[in-house]
Amino acid sequence: MASPPSSLRGTVRFYLLDHRTRIGKLIDVALLVLNLVFVVVLVAETYPLGPETRALLRGAEVAIGLTFLVEYGLRLYGAESRVEEATDPYTVADLLAVLPTLVVAVVPGAGLAMELGFFRVLRVVRVLRFYRFTRDAEFFFGTVSDNTLRSLKLLLTVLVVFFSSASLFYAAEHEVNPAVDTFGDAFYYTVVTLSTVGFGDVLPTTAAGRWVTIVSILGGIIVIPWQAGRVVREWAGRDRVDVTCPDCGLTGHDRDVSHCKACGHVIYQEYDGD
């Protein structure tokens, strides 16, 4: 098991990337749980709640947002290249996810701003933080195979498309559409719509809601099959070996192939099974 560097910056970088030491595992699990709570708060706030419960959720959201801001700062501090880290898509998503919450924490009276369309839309970005946990199988302490990780990414992509679409539809419709009172109503509409069932009991009444529906359907048609195709290709690649045909240059052939499947050139590939 690797040991952390002696420098403070190296130690910070080590534990933020490490998934096998006790401290590294604790950080991973803590961040995953906080992300789940962060998303649950966003959903829970769409339901009728008492002022005390709502204040408790808002306080928890601010506390988690500040924690993620500290994590963001530590990632920049410990990174070998701070410019690359700051422009990394995962890091950009991390920052965007906490910006609306930080506005409430630092600007007096900004709580109402959280209900505005722009800030509510920006809060949806927090679900993208989960992609950081599927960056490599090491997060799961080395117990998850690459193929399982690919399946998890596909499942996460489906959930992100549904969740994001439902959140945006709720933001566009809940003020004027009596059929969309809570996130659950918006999620129901999204699942029914993207699965092409279309019962018709919930319909968009605003231009923004209709555009969200259009973009969601296009996103579901494009993103999910694309992610599924990657998983299938990578699974299929397990049964191939890196052998290049000397005639046409095709790389990657079945393990027991003797002729190139593109041009028919004799390869007589030998594979020992290791």
Side-chain angles (χ1 to χ4, degrees):
M1 185 177 296
S3 300
S6 57
S7 66
L8 177 60
R9 184 177 176 184
T11 300
V12 170
R13 179 172 63 252
F14 174 83
Y15 283 118
L16 285 176
L17 298 177
D18 169 65
H19 311 295
R20 292 189 176 275
T21 66
R22 182 172 299 179
I23 295 178
K25 292 179 180 180
L26 180 62
I27 292 174
D28 285 342
V29 173
L31 290 176
L32 180 58
V33 171
L34 288 177
N35 271 278
L36 288 171
V37 175
F38 209 38
V39 172
V40 168
V41 168
L42 177 63
V43 173
E45 288 180 342
T46 68
Y47 288 83
L49 300 171
E52 292 184 358
T53 303
R54 193 168 293 277
L56 179 63
L57 290 177
R58 186 57 55 83
E61 182 178 8
V62 171
I64 294 173
L66 292 175
T67 301
F68 288 155
L69 181 63
V70 172
E71 179 207 0
Y72 175 83
L74 290 175
R75 288 190 183 277
L76 289 183
Y77 170 74
E80 294 182 353
S81 172
R82 290 169 180 166
V83 174
E84 290 183 5
E85 181 66 30
T87 55
D88 184 274
Y90 294 97
T91 306
V92 173
D94 290 348
L95 180 60
L96 292 177
V98 301
L99 278 181
T101 303
L102 296 179
V103 170
V104 175
V106 300
V107 179
L112 293 177
M114 296 291 285
E115 303 304 322
L116 298 178
F118 172 74
F119 283 97
R120 184 171 292 278
V121 168
L122 196 56
R123 294 170 75 195
V124 177
V125 178
R126 67 182 60 179
V127 74
L128 299 181
R129 286 182 53 91
F130 285 104
Y131 276 107
R132 182 181 288 277
F133 301 113
T134 63
R135 201 166 191 171
D136 57 72
E138 286 294 313
F139 172 75
F140 296 93
F141 317 140
T143 59
V144 174
S145 66
D146 289 338
N147 285 327
T148 301
L149 183 62
R150 295 183 188 110
S151 300
L152 289 174
K153 286 182 178 180
L154 175 59
L155 176 61
L156 179 60
T157 297
V158 173
L159 294 177
V160 165
V161 170
F162 281 0
F163 181 89
S164 301
S165 301
S167 298
L168 295 175
F169 186 76
Y170 174 82
E173 294 283 324
H174 82 284
E175 293 286 351
V176 297
N177 193 336
V180 184
D181 289 331
T182 66
F183 177 86
D185 297 329
F187 191 80
Y188 163 80
Y189 167 80
T190 299
V191 173
V192 169
T193 301
L194 295 186
S195 62
T196 69
V197 176
F199 292 126
D201 52 343
V202 180
L203 295 172
T205 60
T206 65
R210 289 189 284 272
W211 276 109
V212 167
T213 301
I214 292 173
V215 173
S216 300
I217 293 174
L218 292 177
I221 293 174
I222 296 172
V223 176
I224 295 177
W226 171 73
Q227 184 73 17
R230 288 185 59 189
V231 173
V232 172
R233 286 194 301 270
E234 290 169 350
W235 276 348
R238 296 180 60 198
D239 295 325
R240 302 181 185 279
V241 289
D242 188 16
V243 174
T244 301
C245 174
D247 190 38
C248 69
L250 179 67
T251 299
H253 292 81
D254 295 336
R255 296 173 184 268
D256 57 351
V257 72
S258 61
H259 294 72
C260 176
K261 63 181 181 181
C263 67
H265 183 80
V266 177
I267 294 178
Y268 288 116
Q269 177 185 127
E270 295 183 356
Y271 179 70
D272 59 10
D274 294 333

